Amino acid sequence: MLLAGSVVICTPVMAGEPPAPARQTELINLIRQDCGSCHGMTLAGGLGLPLLPEALKGKSPEALTETILRGRGGTPMPPWQAFISEDEAGWIVDMLMKGLPDAH
Amino acid sequence: MRIENVFRGLLGLFAAVALSGCATPPLRGTGDLGLVIERASGRVAVVETSHRTKLGQIAGLGDLSHASVNYSRDERYAYVFGRDGGLTQIDMLEMRIVNRAVQSGNSIGGAISQDGRLVAVANYTPGGINVFDAVTLKQVANIPALDDNGKPSKVIGLVDAPGNRFVFSLFEAGEIWLVEMKDPAKPVVRKYKNIGKEPYDAMITADGRYYLAGLFGEDGLALLDLWNPDAGVKRVLDHYGRGEQKLPVFKMPHLEGWAATGNELLVPAVGRHEVLVIDQGKWTEAARIPVAGQPVFVVARPDNRQVWVNFAFPDNGTVQVIDVPSRTIVQTLKPGKAVLHLEFTPRGEQVWLSARDDDKVVIYDSETYLPVSELHVDKPSGIFFTPRAHRTGL
């Protein structure tokens, strides 16, 4: 178990296993509905910045993952690490940069 | 659905069939009607509170992920403000769209003027307000929210005020603007600068006297007394966090539902799991009430005896009831998954709560705290009943 834990911690963010299908559905719902309360349900932005692929183009996936997990100081963006693992955050960034599938 | 509701529904259907041969539809008032936003599908459900039923649905309203509603003073028409800048006028009786304008790229809410003739919309992109004729939805004014350096701000906390005025705040610039609309073609803007960091929402007291903006970027609230506009904006409840580390806020509190209970104002703290009680004469903190999470809506029952509170993620399955005189939590309820909003019936015997992730609206008796019935609504968010038509700030 200890070994497995270390492997997860040392694995680069983007190389993580994608979440299980049921968890993917949960995460997409979380992004649309809960992230959407600031970033807009279509992710076109609100009080928070837009999260559509064209808005994220050229940004560092590692920095975006870090923002999801630890929030961004001096802005209302809170840290989500209590609810989202590093691998999941990496997967979310990947999905956002490609364009999120519809929640329904 | 309860048997009696089914029965009533059938009765209604028979009545409709019986009358369909007549030239005029059955008459009814609008005082017990309301809209529930179906945020994910761009629809609104038309509901009535006397028998707790859904009368119909209206589709084609665009992105309603952050939507709010104002009503015309005759309670016949609703103005729905969508996230995508859509402003839609709905006939509550005919249950159809009368007018619709996509008036900006990204908006947050609106207000209707004291005389009922103007509808204003608060926009994020481009930051500012647009004002429309309430009958035709023709634009009559545009006020860009630019600071002294020409930098745009998102507009938040737009409300109507006595004197046919609108008041709103600029998120980035930290300003409050008071706009007099006596001549709609020539709005007169008075700006209050340096009111505090990142005002995120605002409200006006029911008497239309005090405009209060909550600050996200620092602890405290900005207060403008509209009876004494020359006195400027005053800071209240400065440093209520006492320098302690803020808890993360997973959803911005809303201030539209701030509870004014006569002498006291109950408001959500930001980054603290507390409801703050403000003495409305001295504008000082009277008490703080520990609650289950980051409060989002803090809403007084119309008689001001109780205040119901919902919470941000991850505590959004919980609703708590505060007994105002004793300032204690008397109930902790679990109405459903992701409770986004709550609205009392006009005199407060029941309260409707939207449970987004359960696709339902749950109706509670506010005396027994027991669920009375529920309605299936697709991803419900805001619930807005027509008596808002007669309340300043709503």
Side-chain angles (χ1 to χ4, degrees):
Chain A
M1 287 313 287
L2 186 64
L3 184 65
S6 331
V7 169
V8 171
I9 287 161
C10 300
T11 305
V13 160
M14 298 303 292
E17 285 290 311
R23 180 62 178 156
Q24 288 190 14
T25 307
E26 263 176 40
L27 289 172
I28 288 172
N29 188 58
L30 183 87
I31 296 166
R32 290 258 179 232
Q33 305 296 339
D34 294 297
C35 303
S37 68
C38 281
H39 296 281
M41 203 173 53
T42 62
L43 307 178
L47 205 57
L49 297 170
L51 301 179
L52 293 170
E54 54 270 30
L56 300 179
K57 211 169 160 185
K59 293 200 192 294
S60 144
E62 289 75 19
L64 293 171
T65 305
E66 188 69 11
T67 299
I68 293 175
L69 291 172
R70 278 171 262 286
R72 186 179 278 186
T75 79
M77 176 68 183
W80 290 85
Q81 58 190 353
F83 313 101
I84 296 170
S85 72
E86 260 186 77
D87 280 353
E88 288 171 348
W91 179 81
I92 289 170
V93 168
D94 203 29
M95 296 299 290
L96 290 175
M97 295 185 97
K98 280 192 222 149
L100 199 69
D102 207 313
H104 330 259
Chain B
M1 184 183 267
R2 287 176 135 207
I3 297 296
E4 69 227 47
N5 284 352
V6 173
F7 184 63
R8 282 204 187 94
L10 283 174
L11 267 185
L13 187 65
F14 290 145
V17 170
L19 283 165
S20 61
C22 307
T24 47
L27 295 173
R28 92 166 327 280
T30 53
D32 60 351
L33 299 183
L35 293 179
V36 182
I37 306 294
E38 299 190 314
R39 70 194 297 272
S41 43
R43 283 190 309 246
V44 291
V46 182
V47 296
E48 57 83 35
T49 55
S50 297
H51 311 105
R52 303 178 297 275
T53 60
K54 191 160 78 175
L55 300 176
Q57 272 176 323
I58 301 157
L61 280 78
D63 177 0
L64 297 183
S65 60
H66 189 293
S68 64
V69 177
N70 288 130
Y71 289 100
S72 62
R73 65 197 282 161
D74 61 4
E75 297 186 7
R76 172 88 186 256
Y77 300 101
Y79 300 92
V80 182
F81 308 93
R83 166 65 89 191
D84 56 3
L87 165 61
T88 312
Q89 183 186 11
I90 282 173
D91 184 325
M92 295 296 286
L93 291 176
E94 295 181 345
M95 292 194 273
R96 66 180 181 90
I97 293 174
V98 181
N99 275 311
R100 181 168 155 79
V102 176
Q103 53 83 48
S104 80
N106 196 323
S107 73
I108 186 69
I112 188 159
S113 61
Q114 182 181 31
D115 66 5
R117 294 162 79 173
L118 301 170
V119 172
V121 191
N123 292 316
Y124 280 173
T125 323
I129 68 166
N130 285 333
V131 185
F132 298 86
D133 180 293
V135 176
T136 62
L137 289 200
K138 286 215 174 76
Q139 188 166 334
V140 296
N142 162 251
I143 302 168
L146 302 173
D147 68 12
D148 285 346
N149 303 317
K151 198 169 162 270
S153 279
K154 298 183 191 82
V155 168
I156 58 92
L158 168 66
V159 299
D160 66 293
N164 241 36
R165 291 178 292 180
F166 291 114
V167 195
F168 56 89
S169 299
L170 279 60
F171 180 75
E172 286 85 355
E175 297 182 8
I176 292 174
W177 289 15
L178 175 61
V179 182
E180 195 212 279
M181 298 294 300
K182 287 212 173 91
D183 178 358
K186 294 194 191 86
V188 180
V189 183
R190 181 165 186 174
K191 301 174 184 177
Y192 297 89
K193 295 174 185 172
N194 303 312
I195 60 108
K197 205 175 159 215
E198 294 172 341
Y200 66 93
D201 202 2
M203 59 90 71
I204 189 163
T205 48
D207 57 8
R209 176 168 179 181
Y210 297 107
Y211 178 83
L212 271 157
L215 303 176
F216 189 87
E218 53 192 305
D219 292 336
L221 307 155
L223 172 71
L224 176 61
D225 179 357
L226 295 171
W227 288 12
N228 301 297
D230 293 342
V233 170
K234 176 175 146 184
R235 182 69 66 82
V236 297
L237 257 63
D238 225 358
H239 311 299
Y240 65 78
R242 297 169 184 150
E244 289 168 29
Q245 182 69 37
K246 273 189 186 181
L247 296 167
V249 178
F250 295 101
K251 181 178 165 67
M252 281 283 181
H254 272 253
L255 303 188
E256 181 182 285
W258 278 9
T261 63
N263 307 322
E264 290 172 346
L265 210 61
L266 276 71
V267 304
V270 178
R272 304 181 62 84
H273 294 179
E274 290 170 343
V275 168
L276 307 174
V277 183
I278 304 175
D279 181 312
Q280 212 189 305
K282 293 182 240 155
W283 295 104
T284 52
E285 181 184 312
R288 43 180 76 195
I289 303 164
V291 289
Q294 167 65 52
V296 175
F297 282 99
V298 174
V299 185
R301 197 169 69 171
D303 68 351
N304 289 331
R305 173 72 204 262
Q306 297 173 355
V307 164
W308 289 50
V309 186
N310 76 330
F311 301 100
F313 177 92
D315 302 303
N316 53 7
T318 300
V319 167
Q320 289 190 309
V321 184
I322 297 170
D323 174 62
V324 171
S326 65
R327 295 175 184 158
T328 54
I329 306 281
V330 289
Q331 284 288 321
T332 298
L333 306 168
K334 299 276 180 190
K337 283 188 213 153
V339 177
L340 292 192
H341 192 224
L342 57 153
E343 176 98 334
F344 283 93
T345 51
R347 297 196 185 187
E349 81 288 356
Q350 288 173 351
V351 57
W352 291 41
L353 303 115
S354 52
R356 183 193 68 203
D357 291 351
D358 280 337
D359 295 312
K360 66 182 184 184
V361 166
V362 191
I363 303 160
Y364 275 75
D365 182 310
S366 71
E367 282 296 320
T368 64
Y369 311 112
L370 294 171
V372 178
S373 59
E374 56 184 58
L375 296 174
H376 171 80
V377 180
D378 183 32
K379 295 263 180 284
S381 57
I383 305 171
F384 304 91
F385 296 149
T386 50
R388 286 173 171 255
H390 305 287
R391 292 186 59 193
T392 297
L394 302 179

